[in-house]
Amino acid sequence: MLYQFWLSPYSSYDHCILVEAHKIMKSAISCGLDSTFMRGAVFNVAVAILMVSTGTINTLAAKWADLNTAGGSNPKAEHYYDHPFFQAATMFLGEALCYVAFKIWFLYRNLQKKDLSTFGDQKFNPLVWAIPAMCDLCGTSIMYVGLTWTYAASFQMLRGSVIIFTGLLSVAFLGNKLKIHHWVGMVTVIVGLVVVGVGDYVFFNGGSSGLDKNTVLAGDLLIVLAQIITAVQMTVEEKIMKRYKIQPLQGVGLEGIFGFSTLTILLIPMYFIPWHLPASSDFWQERTSFEDTIDAFHQWGYSAQVLVASLGLVFSIAFFNFAGLTVTKTMNATTRMVLDTLRSIIIWVISLAVGWQKFEPLQPVGYVILFVGIWIYYDLIIMPTFRWIKAKSGLKKYFARGSSSERERLLGQPDYLINNDDKD
């Protein structure tokens, strides 16, 4: 038998132990443990596919809406769906749906008289989520303005810059210690960001988006700027999650409720402000308004494409948050990061395929550098090679990996992280 070959270096005592282990394994498999494993594997694959697909839909739906023209109220003639703040409000509505899902889950467990300790301490003031929600509101609104001005692929890739600001803030305010691979990863990401930005500007060749290169560069810069706010949001979220042990799905939902209610109120004065952000094409408004929500609803009713894209944004963000948190819980945070990288590649390929942007020589170079930097930061490449060398040479003290909890404390997509790209 095959195991007898592998047992040859061991003693007869070891041989007996491993033979018995082999028998136990066969018995366990015959009792159905293999089917349990398969069910778990199928579930993990399904959730991973759900995360990648809904995350991809989220970004593409927002950009698809931006690129559609439809008749509205200001003017009645067809014009682009240029409503970034209204889009941000719909995104928060999607996040608020996560709170509905959480309450259904909580009530079901309560009615079944099951253990509720996994839900953490529910006796906390919901207003603690006001600060991260306001950060989320500002960051998301700025990102959607940036998405209006740049490519969907660049939007997704540049969001990876959040690890730079999050890492620095975790040192300053949470007392975390960054290891050498974190610093190397952050520097590599900076290089990748520069290459992507230079590629978008120098090799700009348009596409179906009707953008000019100065607008694209401004959009890229806005997205990176928004990541500073997002990093502050994530740092505050970590402190809240550590203190109250709240379920991430509940935290996402509370942020959605705060963000949606606040932005809905702000849309009223925005309608009356007689100024608008610079448009990427001919200025379309007859009556200038900072954010014309009435026009947005008119365009929903006029164009099925705009309506479908907007509803896709709402529901995809809800399912994306659910899938992302489930991946982190059932697999690990690193798997979630790898899947998010795959999502970015899919968005770029689709953007090229449908003609939303044209191929630029520096873009794939910049994306590869960004990916390498992110993977170095998350300790997936380079340092594992050094640790293998260490294992062979015995230089253990120089390349210590650290515990899993220590790595995830460095905001490398920890279990309690609320929104990383979930806007996505």
Side-chain angles (χ1 to χ4, degrees), residues 9-200:
Y10 296 91
S11 66
S12 59
Y13 177 72
D14 295 328
H15 177 89
C16 294
I17 291 177
L18 291 178
V19 169
E20 289 301 317
H22 178 76
K23 292 179 180 178
I24 293 173
M25 184 181 298
K26 289 182 65 178
S27 175
I29 292 175
S30 66
C31 291
L33 289 183
D34 57 335
S35 61
T36 302
F37 172 79
M38 286 302 297
R39 285 196 299 271
V42 170
F43 174 78
N44 288 343
V45 171
V47 171
I49 293 174
L50 180 65
M51 177 187 164
V52 173
S53 58
T54 55
T56 301
I57 292 171
N58 183 253
T59 299
L60 294 179
K63 189 61 182 179
W64 184 35
D66 292 342
L67 294 176
N68 268 291
T69 58
S73 62
N74 181 25
K76 293 183 178 179
E78 290 193 359
H79 54 271
Y80 282 111
Y81 184 75
D82 186 12
H83 301 287
F85 298 98
F86 183 77
Q87 273 187 316
T90 60
M91 186 279 300
F92 280 116
L93 177 61
E95 285 192 355
L97 294 178
C98 292
Y99 190 76
V100 176
F102 168 80
K103 295 303 290 186
I104 293 173
W105 179 28
F106 181 84
L107 291 174
Y108 172 77
R109 298 274 298 186
N110 193 26
L111 290 174
Q112 295 293 319
K113 305 297 183 182
K114 294 184 178 180
D115 181 25
L116 299 178
S117 61
T118 56
F119 292 95
D121 183 11
Q122 294 297 305
K123 297 179 180 179
F124 65 92
N125 186 352
L127 291 177
V128 298
W129 289 101
I131 294 177
M134 293 307 101
C135 291
D136 197 4
L137 188 155
C138 295
T140 300
S141 299
I142 293 173
M143 279 192 286
Y144 277 122
V145 173
L147 177 60
T148 304
W149 293 353
T150 191
Y151 307 119
S154 296
F155 168 81
Q156 186 62 38
M157 302 292 180
L158 293 173
R159 295 178 68 182
S161 63
V162 71
I163 68 171
I164 300 170
F165 309 112
T166 305
L168 296 176
L169 287 175
S170 71
V171 174
F173 296 103
L174 299 178
N176 293 335
K177 294 181 180 180
L178 299 180
K179 296 183 179 295
I180 185 171
H181 63 85
H182 294 116
W183 292 109
V184 173
M186 288 191 293
V187 171
T188 307
V189 166
I190 291 174
V191 174
L193 293 174
V194 172
V195 173
V196 170
V198 170
D200 283 349

Side-chain angles (χ1 to χ4, degrees), residues 318-340:
F319 282 102
F320 176 69
N321 275 296
F322 164 76
L325 295 171
T326 304
V327 166
T328 303
K329 183 177 180 180
T330 60
M331 288 174 266
N332 54 55
T334 299
T335 302
R336 183 175 180 179
M337 185 275 301
V338 173
L339 292 174
D340 206 50

Side-chain angles (χ1 to χ4, degrees), residues 73-74 83 271 284-285 287 289-296:
S73 62
N74 181 25
H83 301 287
Y271 178 80
W284 53 268
Q285 290 184 340
R287 179 187 53 75
S289 177
F290 188 72
E291 177 60 280
D292 195 336
T293 302
I294 296 176
D295 182 75

